[in-house]
Amino acid sequence: MNKVLLIGLDGASFNILMPWIRKGFLPMLGRLIKNGVYGVLKSTIPPDTPPAWASIFTGKNPGKHGVYGFLDFTPQLDEKSKKYVFRVVNSRCRRSPAIWNILSKEGRRVIVINAPLTYPPEPVNGVMISGFLTPSLKSSFVYPRWLKPMLVKKGYRIGVRFGEEEFSMQNLVENIRARIGIAKWFMRNFDWDLFIIVFMETDQVMHVHNDIRKALKIYQEVDNGIGTLIKKLPSKSYVVLVSDHGFKKFRRNFYLNTFLWKRGLLKLKINGTPLYSRLLTNLTYTFSDSTLNISLVRKFKDFFFRATGSKTLGSSLNLIDYANSFCYNLLSGTSFSTIRFNVKHREPAGILNKSSYDYLLKYLADELKKTGIVKNVFTKGEIYWGPFLENAPDLIVQARGEYLIKQMLMPLASIPSNTYDHFMNGIFIAYNSNMERKGRLDGKISVMNVTPTILELLDLKIPLDMDGQAVRGLTDL
């Protein structure tokens, strides 16, 4: 019976990997590509971690699994403050069976280590160690629960926070080594049909350090670990490597919430930071896009940090009065982003009449395209389909190639930038020691194709409600 090792490299893309592979810096990835098949794996729209991994593990678009971003876009209303509260997504937000649920039902054994959106861990026929967004090692992060003391004793680590100290190079390397060590132990001591292990560090190094040289060090650590795991595999096992999205460099930022605020559609709190609000307003009317340079942006950031006591511009989002806004942006860090409308009888304190819904769709689409920054604007029905379409953002915005869409409030909607962040092109690599087919795969491969492909490799039926299909030719040995 076939076995499959599924390795996730969060944020990996060939535009960054291939130059390193050609120079021999990543020997194991180089061998897998040389002796297997590979191709670009198209992410979800937007190419964001939670929806993309949910689509990888379910074979479905977000309209069928219900995950559209890091936050549940349907807010809760705090009755005391009358403010909107957006909950961070977890495994319970995924409303469609994942591959480990399917295999468990079929009596197959699974081991899942550090897969995003798996906290709290689900009962499976095997082992699940929850991954990204797990609160801490003090939480119930593993199923079955009796494994927790052993994992803690063996020094297992969960990288869970967003501070620079947590994501230091030393911590990233130690996280990788601890995860590889635990994976080797499970390979030796547990029976399995599907083994899933995901490395978030390949994404985190890009976000936190924004340094391609430091990224190479992390990829080399992962490459070495992959080689160690492959040596432990039974003969004729399949190895499949995937990523949820890629990374590329962006030259300008487009601040979508600022765009909405300047048009009176997004409201700021009256009791927000008054000094910051005044500065935001004054700078908006004083400077044009061509005069707001990098130096001024830095001064603005320094002022903001002093005025608010914050260490990140992300806290500017605390100034937004979501409940009294007509619409707002909740997603940051990609050339695609989203706008959610505050609709009456859908949101708990909605103010937009349904009769005005279509008008606002058209108005925003026209205004966004006038900027020269936005390439396309889509309604949710043009991108998603399924029973959870109502939970989707109402508009999906695609910026032109050099623009990165951010959600923080800045004095202008567009300013210069020089940062790596998400884009649509991830990776797909498949290898088997007896594989006759080699080289680049033709045609488009989607994140929704991964689960159907693994089911086919394991000789299991692909459910009819899956949107993806198996990548052809991998079993023709």
Side-chain angles (χ1 to χ4, degrees), residues 195-209:
F195 197 113
I196 299 175
I197 182 169
V198 178
F199 296 94
M200 295 297 299
E201 292 77 12
T202 47
D203 173 274
Q204 292 160 351
V205 69
M206 299 295 286
H207 280 303
V208 175
H209 297 282

Side-chain angles (χ1 to χ4, degrees), residues 229-475:
L229 294 180
I230 289 177
K231 288 178 183 177
K232 304 291 182 183
L233 291 179
S235 61
K236 297 185 179 180
S237 297
Y238 284 92
V239 180
V240 179
L241 282 85
V242 299
S243 67
D244 54 333
H245 56 77
F247 267 86
K248 74 171 188 177
K249 182 163 280 191
F250 293 88
R251 300 298 180 184
R252 295 189 69 85
N253 290 344
F254 175 49
Y255 293 94
L256 190 50
N257 275 325
T258 299
F259 171 89
L260 298 174
W261 170 68
K262 289 175 70 176
R263 284 154 182 80
L265 298 171
L266 181 137
K267 305 297 182 182
L268 300 184
K269 298 172 185 174
I270 296 174
N271 62 344
T273 307
L275 193 59
Y276 174 73
S277 298
R278 288 201 304 271
L279 179 70
L280 188 69
T281 303
N282 291 337
L283 282 177
T284 298
Y285 289 106
T286 302
F287 295 97
S288 67
D289 189 32
S290 60
T291 61
L292 187 65
N293 57 32
I294 290 289
S295 175
L296 183 59
V297 170
R298 288 178 181 148
K299 290 179 181 178
F300 174 80
K301 289 181 179 180
D302 291 342
F303 176 88
F304 172 73
F305 297 152
R306 291 196 305 271
T308 63
S310 171
K311 294 182 179 180
T312 67
L313 281 171
S315 59
S316 66
L317 299 176
N318 295 331
L319 293 173
I320 297 174
D321 185 351
Y322 294 98
N324 287 305
S325 297
F326 289 99
C327 54
Y328 42 80
N329 164 239
L330 290 173
L331 178 67
S332 186
T334 162
S335 57
F336 286 87
S337 197
T338 61
I339 299 174
R340 176 79 175 187
F341 291 3
N342 191 18
V343 180
K344 279 186 178 180
H345 309 302
R346 186 184 72 178
E347 270 67 22
I351 61 173
L352 181 69
N353 292 316
K354 288 192 175 181
S355 59
S356 302
Y357 183 91
D358 289 339
Y359 171 81
L360 186 56
L361 284 176
K362 186 178 185 307
Y363 170 77
L364 277 174
D366 291 342
E367 288 292 297
L368 285 162
K369 289 176 181 177
K370 287 178 185 176
T371 63
I373 294 170
V374 172
K375 181 179 179 180
N376 289 306
V377 181
F378 304 97
T379 62
K380 59 185 176 182
E382 293 178 279
I383 302 294
Y384 312 115
W385 61 98
F388 306 110
L389 185 62
E390 186 71 4
N391 303 91
D394 296 283
L395 278 180
I396 299 89
V397 181
Q398 180 186 10
R400 298 192 180 278
E402 66 173 348
Y403 283 92
L404 176 67
I405 302 178
K406 306 283 281 185
Q407 66 180 133
M408 288 85 80
L409 285 167
M410 288 290 283
L412 288 171
S414 173
I415 63 174
S417 177
N418 187 34
T419 186
Y420 287 95
D421 223 310
H422 298 193
F423 85 126
M424 288 290 294
N425 293 352
I427 67 168
F428 178 90
I429 304 170
Y431 165 80
N432 179 284
S433 59
N434 293 330
M435 185 176 285
E436 294 181 359
R437 184 179 181 183
K438 295 179 175 63
R440 190 178 184 93
L441 292 165
D442 298 326
K444 293 182 180 179
I445 312 172
S446 162
V447 286
M448 296 182 287
N449 296 137
V450 176
T451 280
T453 299
I454 293 171
L455 292 175
E456 185 171 272
L457 294 178
L458 294 172
D459 298 316
L460 292 173
K461 186 177 179 181
I462 300 171
L464 295 176
D465 65 340
M466 283 191 180
D467 298 313
Q469 299 179 341
V471 176
R472 297 302 174 196
L474 302 190
T475 56

